[in-house]
Amino acid sequence: MLNEKKDKLRRITRWLSSAPGRAKHLLVGGRRDIDDPKLFHSVSLIAFMAWVGLGADGLSSSAYGPDEAFKALGPEHRYMAVYLALATSLTVFIISYAYSRIIEHFPTGGGGYVVATKLLGAPAGLVSGSALLIDYILTITVSIAAGADAIFAFLPKDAAFMGRSLLELKLPVEYAAVGALLIMNLRGIKESITILVPIFVLFVLTHAVMLTSVFFKHFSEIPTQYQELVTQTTHHYHSAGLLVMFGIFIQAFSRGAGTFTGIEAVSNGLAIMRDPKVETGKRTMIYMAASLALTAGGILIAYYLTKVVPDSHDAEKPMNAILLEELVKGSSFFGNWFVVLALASEALLLIIAAQTGFIDGPRVMSNMALDSWLPHRFSSLSERLTTHYGVLLIGAAAFSSLWYTQGSVDTLVTMYSINVFITFSLTELGMCRFYITHRKQHKEWKKALPIHLTGLCLCSTILCLTIYQKFEKGAWMTLVVTGALIGLCVMIRRYYRTVFSKLGLVTINPEELEPEKEMVAPVQMNPLKPTAVLLVGSNGGMGVHSFTQIRRLFPEHFQQIVFVSVAVLDSGNFKGAAELSALKKQTQDSLEKYVALAHKFGMAATFMMETGNEPVEPAIELCVEAGLRFRRAMFFAGKLVFNRETLLQRLLHNQTAAAIQNRLQWLGYPMVILSIRVWGEGAKVSGHDMTKSTLGIQTDVD
């Protein structure tokens, strides 16, 4: 009978939002079962899938990174493409190796933000995290805008649709691509990646065939090309000097800096890897580094072997398109179909490279939210166990940047690839400091430190050159936006710290925690007696204060009490079955302490708990169950009350108690919110001076 009533009430509450619920289910899917023993296995990624989801950003950069670098050389110095290829491949492997070491030392993930925070301090972590967030937003916009440009380049310039030029539809198509990726990532990371696998594989196959064919076609010319390389290098060395040659080379190298973006993605997204996470992450890093180095370096050498030059009639024509056209000339096997297939896969991969921004951007936001740099709600998980608030905000920011730049790749590229090198530099600096200060504990420091020092020099040099070259062209905007985000984060954290400090003033009269005489609590609960049902968090000041408030407001009325709590799964503890078990154990231990406190005052007591991705729905179901078991139940919850509530407070707090109260009252259950006033020092709560805390607040301010 009890279960039937519970099911009936669940159906009623779900009926309230049936139409929106069906639409939501259709778009993003149904709720995942947190108690499913195979849950973590089903949502985690093997190395190949992680390579697809996180490696697309790096691999897609081979469509524009080598292009930019080669064009910067000019026709007189095209022989330097060989040296650029070697330098590019070496840089990819150096940065990748450094991040593999980071994966070993920080197996819980977090990448550059966590490394900078733990090794250099919170301010450095804030700069690194803010830079990464802006970079991931630009990753989405640059990738989608470049992909759309490549797709529309196939279409006739005078083509029209419904009386409008097809070029006018480019920006709406870009908006649609952002929206599609947003919905896919709300459904789940693994589901979104699975859809994109065929495009990724097509790109890898077509470009592997392209590079292999170029080398075979020009294999007999390699000795001649090598001799030409030596001759030209020697000639320019004697005529211009080493310093001038190095200046030309380093300028081209920095112009192609976009090639290295995305390498950090694996360490940032380690939390979504299949166990053992470290081994899976390192294997993914190998896939990413090898594919990027071979593709980007191979394309640069292919430019040199085929002696292609930029199209003088169409300056915007990609070098890869020119390379493919050169490949099919006089070929009986390749035709225009292969050119279209390869360029189409490149354009589509550019679009799906935005997936990296949707995967890792919200991950960085959740880590920053756990440290109170961003609103705490960004660490929460949806029913699909995705960081949905982060996905929505990243998507909205991508829409805004596309609108602001009107999808101009030139404008976006000047804003791009700066912030990632801020993070790279801080990360390498942190690892250098780590190995210097802990060299006695880590005997491998002699091998690891030179790698990180080399990476630090490379990344900081590229950062300075990129800012210098792109500053007046729009890079200043990236620095201004990043600085504004840092300022906002400082304001948010200062607010949370202020609230916590004021919560520390909440005191409870010690006499209220000790009964006047020793009392014996009944062993069993009576379903017919008045029962207080109190929603609590961890065993701390807010819950204990609410308990004493109930006894003070309803003396002798409630002789028994039920403590209700939800073990909320968020991005901080959603890392594996062990963490989930620890969360449940922590919640149970906290509830047992509340029960012991009630027993001390002679009250019969029990507890009920549930696990959920958010507190409201599970708490309502537990309250409904308690209401069915105890017919004379009244529900209570503590809530922070501010002297003057502002918009910032509404954004930074979840209003959980009010949401539960509204739902329970609609179902016919009475609920009282016990206020805890938050204001200046020296204030009073329920007649007691709030001078110095005698009971530390351990609950989240949300």
Side-chain angles (χ1 to χ4, degrees):
M1 180 66 70
L2 180 62
N3 289 333
E4 291 179 1
K5 290 184 177 180
K6 285 170 57 180
D7 291 339
K8 183 178 179 180
L9 282 169
R10 285 178 181 176
R11 288 196 299 270
I12 291 174
T13 56
R14 288 170 183 168
W15 174 84
L16 289 174
S17 55
S18 57
R22 285 195 296 269
K24 180 181 176 182
H25 185 277
L26 179 64
L27 287 174
V28 303
R31 180 194 297 267
R32 292 190 187 276
D33 183 6
I34 294 177
D35 296 320
D36 182 1
K38 297 181 180 180
L39 173 64
F40 292 96
H41 183 82
S42 63
V43 299
S44 59
L45 303 177
I46 60 174
F48 174 77
M49 295 295 286
W51 178 38
V52 174
L54 301 173
D57 180 24
L59 199 54
S60 69
S61 65
S62 62
Y64 52 82
D67 184 307
E68 286 284 317
F70 187 75
K71 287 179 178 178
L73 291 175
E76 293 184 1
H77 305 97
R78 54 179 297 278
Y79 68 92
M80 286 189 183
V82 178
Y83 302 122
L84 273 177
L86 295 175
T88 298
S89 300
L90 182 62
T91 303
V92 168
F93 281 118
I94 289 174
I95 298 176
S96 299
Y97 175 79
Y99 270 92
S100 293
R101 306 296 299 179
I102 290 168
I103 289 172
E104 292 179 359
H105 289 286
F106 297 90
T108 57
Y113 168 72
V114 173
V115 173
T117 299
K118 292 189 175 181
L119 301 182
L120 298 176
L126 171 61
V127 173
S128 180
S130 300
L132 267 180
L133 279 181
I134 301 301
D135 184 72
Y136 281 133
I137 293 169
L138 290 174
T139 293
I140 296 172
T141 51
V142 168
S143 299
I144 288 179
D149 278 358
I151 291 173
F152 276 80
F154 286 110
L155 304 175
K157 298 186 181 299
D158 56 349
F161 177 75
M162 297 183 66
R164 296 178 60 187
S165 170
L166 285 180
L167 292 177
E168 296 179 24
L169 299 177
K170 188 172 78 72
L171 194 58
V173 167
E174 292 171 2
Y175 289 147
V178 173
L181 286 172
L182 188 151
I183 292 173
M184 288 164 58
N185 282 276
L186 288 176
R187 290 186 68 88
I189 293 173
K190 190 172 183 178
E191 288 81 356
S192 63
I193 293 174
T194 302
I195 298 173
L196 305 176
V197 167
I199 298 172
F200 186 88
V201 172
L202 179 63
F203 174 89
V204 171
L205 290 177
T206 54
H207 283 65
V209 170
M210 177 185 74
L211 294 177
T212 303
S213 301
V214 167
F215 283 105
F216 271 108
K217 184 176 181 180
H218 297 274
F219 183 78
S220 61
E221 303 171 14
I222 290 179
T224 306
Q225 296 273 35
Y226 174 74
Q227 188 60 44
E228 181 183 336
L229 172 66
V230 174
T231 302
Q232 289 183 316
T233 303
T234 305
H235 171 72
H236 281 95
Y237 172 73
H238 290 295
S239 62
L242 183 62
L243 190 61
V244 173
M245 291 178 65
F246 180 75
I248 296 170
F249 173 82
I250 202 68
Q251 182 181 15
F253 182 73
S254 63
R255 283 279 298 274
T259 305
F260 312 116
T261 57
I263 296 177
E264 83 295 338
V266 176
S267 63
N268 286 328
L270 204 62
I272 62 175
M273 304 286 180
R274 179 75 53 84
D275 287 328
K277 297 183 185 297
V278 172
E279 285 73 11
T280 304
K282 291 174 70 174
R283 193 177 303 117
T284 305
M285 186 64 77
I286 292 173
Y287 294 164
M288 177 185 290
S291 60
L292 178 56
L294 289 173
T295 306
I299 286 174
L300 281 167
I301 294 177
Y303 291 161
Y304 178 70
L305 289 176
T306 56
K307 298 183 179 181
V308 294
V309 294
D311 193 328
S312 58
H313 300 291
D314 187 359
E316 296 183 359
K317 189 172 185 178
M319 289 298 300
N320 286 1
I322 300 172
L323 176 64
L324 284 165
E325 290 174 355
E326 179 66 27
L327 175 64
V328 301
K329 280 183 181 179
S331 173
S332 58
F333 178 77
F334 295 108
N336 290 332
W337 63 269
F338 183 76
V339 176
V340 173
L341 189 64
L343 291 178
S345 68
E346 193 173 277
L348 292 173
L349 186 73
L350 280 166
I351 292 178
I352 70 170
Q355 176 71 2
T356 303
F358 276 110
I359 293 176
D360 276 348
R363 290 279 166 185
V364 174
M365 293 178 72
S366 68
N367 286 323
M368 294 179 70
L370 291 170
D371 291 338
S372 296
W373 291 117
L374 291 173
H376 290 166
R377 68 182 66 218
F378 285 108
S379 66
S380 66
L381 301 176
S382 69
E383 294 178 349
R384 299 288 297 175
L385 302 180
T386 63
T387 48
H388 55 309
Y389 287 120
V391 171
L392 290 170
L393 185 59
I394 287 284
F399 275 117
S400 300
S401 57
L402 279 173
W403 172 81
Y404 176 75
T405 62
Q406 291 296 294
S408 170
V409 175
D410 290 340
T411 304
L412 288 166
V413 166
T414 57
M415 300 169 65
Y416 189 46
S417 77
I418 292 177
N419 278 357
V420 71
F421 285 100
I422 294 176
T423 298
F424 281 169
S425 300
L426 289 172
T427 301
E428 297 291 13
L429 179 62
M431 293 303 294
C432 289
R433 181 181 181 184
F434 172 81
Y435 279 112
I436 291 172
T437 56
H438 297 85
R439 57 186 181 277
K440 292 182 179 179
Q441 295 90 342
H442 297 273
K443 295 183 179 180
E444 76 276 11
W445 73 275
K446 291 183 179 180
K447 180 178 70 173
L449 182 58
I451 296 293
H452 289 293
L453 281 173
T454 304
L456 174 60
C457 293
L458 277 172
C459 294
S460 56
T461 300
I462 295 172
L463 172 63
C464 294
L465 287 171
T466 305
I467 292 176
Y468 174 75
Q469 291 178 352
K470 297 182 177 181
F471 187 81
E472 294 183 356
K473 298 178 181 179
W476 63 271
M477 177 63 74
T478 304
L479 299 177
V480 168
V481 173
T482 305
L485 178 59
I486 291 172
L488 177 63
C489 291
V490 169
M491 183 179 67
I492 291 173
R493 196 181 206 202
R494 184 177 298 168
Y495 168 81
Y496 276 132
R497 284 188 169 184
T498 301
V499 173
F500 273 120
S501 66
K502 290 180 179 180
L503 280 174
L505 299 172
V506 176
T507 184
I508 298 171
N509 190 344
E511 296 178 0
E512 294 189 61
L513 300 181
E514 296 294 336
E516 297 178 357
K517 60 181 180 179
E518 186 175 349
M519 307 177 73
V520 179
V523 177
Q524 294 184 342
M525 304 278 289
N526 188 331
L528 301 179
K529 283 188 175 182
T531 305
V533 180
L534 176 60
L535 281 76
V536 295
S538 59
N539 183 250
M542 288 185 66
V544 175
H545 177 78
S546 298
F547 173 74
T548 59
Q549 280 278 72
I550 293 172
R551 294 188 62 254
R552 187 185 305 117
L553 295 172
F554 302 92
E556 307 298 329
H557 180 70
F558 293 111
Q559 298 299 314
Q560 56 187 22
I561 187 169
V562 179
F563 295 99
V564 172
S565 187
V566 178
V568 179
L569 195 64
D570 60 23
S571 60
N573 49 47
F574 184 59
K575 297 176 180 176
E579 286 79 3
L580 181 57
S581 298
L583 174 65
K584 293 179 179 179
K585 180 66 166 56
Q586 179 184 1
T587 305
Q588 182 175 331
D589 291 344
S590 176
L591 287 168
E592 288 174 351
K593 291 178 182 178
Y594 279 115
V595 170
L597 177 64
H599 284 169
K600 187 189 295 187
F601 287 91
M603 298 178 69
T606 187
F607 68 83
M608 300 169 64
M609 62 171 285
E610 187 60 83
T611 306
N613 60 288
E614 54 86 30
V616 176
E617 289 296 334
I620 291 171
E621 292 188 4
L622 289 173
C623 289
V624 168
E625 183 176 350
L628 293 173
R629 288 175 57 185
F630 304 98
R631 300 303 180 89
R632 300 177 66 187
M634 180 175 286
F635 300 87
F636 299 88
K639 181 180 182 293
L640 299 178
V641 178
F642 297 88
N643 188 26
R644 291 181 179 178
E645 189 169 357
T646 64
L647 177 61
L648 181 64
Q649 290 162 354
R650 295 193 189 99
L651 291 174
L652 299 184
H653 298 285
N654 291 335
Q655 308 297 331
T656 302
I660 295 173
Q661 183 188 47
N662 288 339
R663 295 286 296 277
L664 287 180
Q665 287 180 341
W666 189 92
L667 293 171
Y669 292 104
M671 180 172 177
V672 177
I673 291 181
L674 304 169
S675 62
I676 297 180
R677 287 174 282 179
V678 180
W679 45 11
E681 190 168 347
K684 295 184 178 182
V685 172
S686 301
H688 298 289
D689 290 333
M690 295 181 2
T691 54
K692 195 171 183 179
S693 176
T694 59
L695 208 79
I697 298 296
Q698 300 174 17
T699 54
D700 191 345
V701 295
D702 288 338

